Amino acid sequence: MTHILVVDDDPSVHRAIERTLRGPGRVFTCTTRAAAALEQLAARPTSLVLCDLHMPEMSGLEFAALVRTQWPHVRCVLVTGSVPTPALHDAARRGDFFGLVPKPWLRDELRTTVAAALSPPDAVTTDHPG
Amino acid sequence: MTARVPSKAQGRYDSAIRAMPTCRVLIVDDDDTNRFMMSRFLEVDGYEVLAASSGAEALTILRETTISLILLDVHMPDMDGLEVCRRIRSDPKNRKIAVVFLTADPPGSGGEIAGLEAGADEYLHRPISRQVLSLRVRNLLRLADAEREEQILAQVAQSEKLAAIGQVAAGVAHEINNPLAFVLANLETLRDYFDELNTVLEAWRSSPAQGRAAENRVDLATVRADVRPLINETIEGGERMRTIVRELKSFMRGQDDFVESVDLSDVARSTLVLTERELLSKSTLVRELDSAWIDAAPRQRLHQVVLNLIINAKQACEARPLGPGEHHRIEVRTGTEDGFAVITVSDTGAGIPEDIRQRIFEPFFTTKPVGVGVGLGLSLCAMVMDQVGGTIALDSRIGFGTRFTLRIPTERPRSASASSIQPAP
């Protein structure tokens, strides 16, 4: 079972992402708040987090950095409707997140990025399995 | 704690004027020593000096460069000073250039009338004291200075407007991109649903058995249950985009200084709609927007004022980081009070140190890092308040936050110059 966690303050975006990515063996949890997402990560095995860059309380970058520290095997794909900032480039260089998908996304772009994020990490960059 | 903000008076634009290039002076003389000496004198006085050794050269420079004042020798080979002056004056775009003749002819030798008739502003005789020359030039340039000041004011307003548009554009892009993302994704899903429904329909046409098989294959139950919510969400997304565009139109409506009847709460609302997600997503936003009509005010300018105050509030909050779980609070309120339309914008940010409260309304005064602000926001606010006869006041406590209060008379003041900037009550 592949558990995908979607964090975005807009529920309509949850459903659009779920409709685009759903498939056999995939389960989605959607939340509008970073705090609830962290609870989910603690509560159940998660394969991938799709996270909006703009969130109340905690920015997507802070969230991704936190996920990377606490759940290093969970990959994070950021989704954003804003222009990339220097902070985003820095986070990319640090490897805080796996990929970046713009809003609006191209359907294939979203699907390909997610498929890549779900593929097993290659031998060089082995993460510690959860 | 309340700060008294100095009135516009002198000086508010002094720093802006200092930031502008100095006046440019052109010296035309065929004598190398004269030319060199004059150049030195005027350079020491702080002018940018260009020099030409003939009338023809002077006219070429004039065509290519903006000059404020020309110091012109009368007797030169080829083209004399009078002819140069006549040619300068024959072009209307040179009418603001001050022309000063400088001659070695003794006074009373008749050249003065001819020089002034040719259009010169002054006719001076050598030898001339350095001080007299310096003062003559300064006085003649006073007009040019006044004009430069007007240009600076226009530039301040324009660059601030561009900065504001940039902020709004970022907010609008974000506000549109979010619904656009799910509207487009939903339409692609809807196309899949349509194909699947078609498949099932075709299968039913072949035989009931094939129809039922196709229904199971495409999970018809899920498709049928999802079509309507999907369409509703998509329409809602389109409506959200329509709202953003409508607010943007309100934001951009009217020429810069076009004066109309304006509801301050309307100005605040559309500014917030366009900026809240981009600018204020990290803070708790409190808005209490009671209508506050102003008979005659430039809507565009008020939008810029409110936007600048909101941007400042956001940046003030960023300058005082909070612990985990704590949130900054930005409050925007509008209403009327004793014949005034009032807007307050308050934040729980860093606060403004007492020693700089006197300066924050000066153009180009900024405490923000390079690239964050050029220091025109509050000077623009003060300019607009002057324009509408309103007042701007600030309360600030270090480590607790700042509140700006703008009061604008609801009825048009008799004279726009009857304005003042007062301390908060």
Side-chain angles (χ1 to χ4, degrees), chain A residues 10-11 28-29 38 71 73 75 82 92 95 99 101 123:
Chain A
D10 192 339
F28 293 83
T29 307
L38 294 173
W71 297 277
H73 60 285
R75 282 174 172 170
S82 303
V101 174

Side-chain angles (χ1 to χ4, degrees), chain B residues 20-323:
Chain B
M20 284 286 284
T22 51
C23 282
R24 212 177 273 137
V25 174
L26 175 62
I27 295 169
V28 192
D29 201 314
D30 60 322
D31 182 291
D32 291 348
T33 314
N34 279 346
R35 214 167 52 235
F36 180 76
M37 293 253 299
M38 290 299 148
S39 299
R40 263 302 141 87
F41 287 166
L42 292 170
E43 271 166 9
V44 169
D45 285 343
Y47 303 108
E48 187 186 336
V49 180
L50 299 177
S53 57
S54 72
E57 192 188 341
L59 292 171
T60 307
I61 290 173
L62 266 178
R63 270 193 295 274
E64 290 161 1
T65 321
T66 307
I67 300 287
S68 303
L69 182 141
I70 298 177
L71 212 53
L72 193 54
D73 186 20
V74 176
H75 297 293
M76 292 186 291
D78 300 327
M79 193 191 298
D80 71 2
L82 288 174
E83 180 56 24
V84 175
C85 186
R86 275 185 216 109
R87 293 206 188 179
I88 290 168
R89 289 298 184 229
S90 69
D91 185 344
K93 86 174 168 44
N94 291 335
R95 68 187 183 282
K96 289 177 184 164
I97 300 176
V99 177
V100 180
F101 273 119
L102 201 51
T103 180
D105 294 349
S109 53
E112 186 162 3
I113 303 283
L116 294 173
E117 263 176 358
D121 299 280
E122 286 275 8
Y123 196 93
L124 306 176
H125 296 274
R126 290 181 208 273
I128 185 167
S129 89
R130 168 141 191 235
Q131 201 179 0
V132 168
L133 177 71
S134 170
L135 292 170
R136 296 268 188 201
V137 167
R138 186 200 70 183
N139 293 349
L140 281 168
L141 285 173
R142 194 179 289 135
L143 193 69
D145 265 344
E147 227 159 63
R148 258 172 359 125
E149 193 170 329
E150 269 169 39
Q151 285 169 5
I152 290 160
L153 291 189
Q155 277 172 16
V156 165
Q158 185 60 21
S159 60
E160 196 56 44
K161 188 182 170 193
L162 290 177
I165 287 172
Q167 291 275 0
V168 170
V172 169
H174 187 263
E175 287 306 295
I176 298 267
N177 279 342
N178 232 29
L180 191 58
F182 69 78
V183 163
L184 289 174
N186 286 355
L187 286 172
E188 295 200 80
T189 304
L190 192 61
R191 186 172 55 198
D192 292 346
Y193 287 170
F194 179 75
D195 290 343
E196 286 165 353
L197 288 170
N198 248 344
T199 308
V200 171
L201 191 62
E202 292 296 329
W204 269 103
R205 279 185 175 168
S206 306
S207 76
Q210 283 187 34
R212 273 186 288 273
E215 280 185 20
N216 288 331
R217 200 168 58 244
V218 305
D219 193 5
L220 185 68
T222 304
V223 171
R224 286 185 65 188
D226 197 33
V227 167
R228 189 164 277 279
L230 180 145
I231 290 173
N232 287 343
E233 268 171 36
T234 308
I235 290 172
E236 185 260 337
E239 279 167 354
R240 265 166 60 181
M241 292 189 269
R242 184 176 63 187
T243 304
I244 297 300
V245 172
R246 194 169 53 211
E247 296 301 346
L248 187 64
K249 273 155 79 180
S250 150
F251 195 90
M252 295 298 168
R253 191 166 83 209
Q255 294 292 311
D256 285 352
D257 290 308
F258 177 73
V259 166
E260 61 189 308
S261 175
V262 178
D263 183 354
L264 205 48
S265 70
D266 197 39
V267 170
R269 185 181 42 77
S270 61
T271 309
L272 284 171
V273 165
L274 294 176
T275 52
E276 62 181 312
R277 275 178 58 106
E278 178 78 11
L279 294 181
L280 307 176
S281 60
K282 290 241 183 87
S283 312
T284 308
L285 177 64
V286 177
R287 68 186 106 190
E288 285 173 15
L289 305 178
D290 293 334
S291 68
W293 283 93
I294 306 162
D295 274 358
R299 170 189 292 274
Q300 266 291 295
R301 295 282 187 222
L302 291 177
H303 270 300
Q304 289 169 32
V305 167
V306 175
L307 181 63
N308 279 309
L309 292 177
I310 290 171
I311 291 169
N312 279 346
K314 173 228 182 193
Q315 288 168 346
C317 290
E318 285 171 352
R320 189 171 76 88
L322 295 180

Side-chain angles (χ1 to χ4, degrees), chain A residues 74-87:
Chain A
V74 178
R75 282 174 172 170
C76 217
V77 170
L78 293 174
V79 186
T80 180
S82 303
V83 183
T85 58

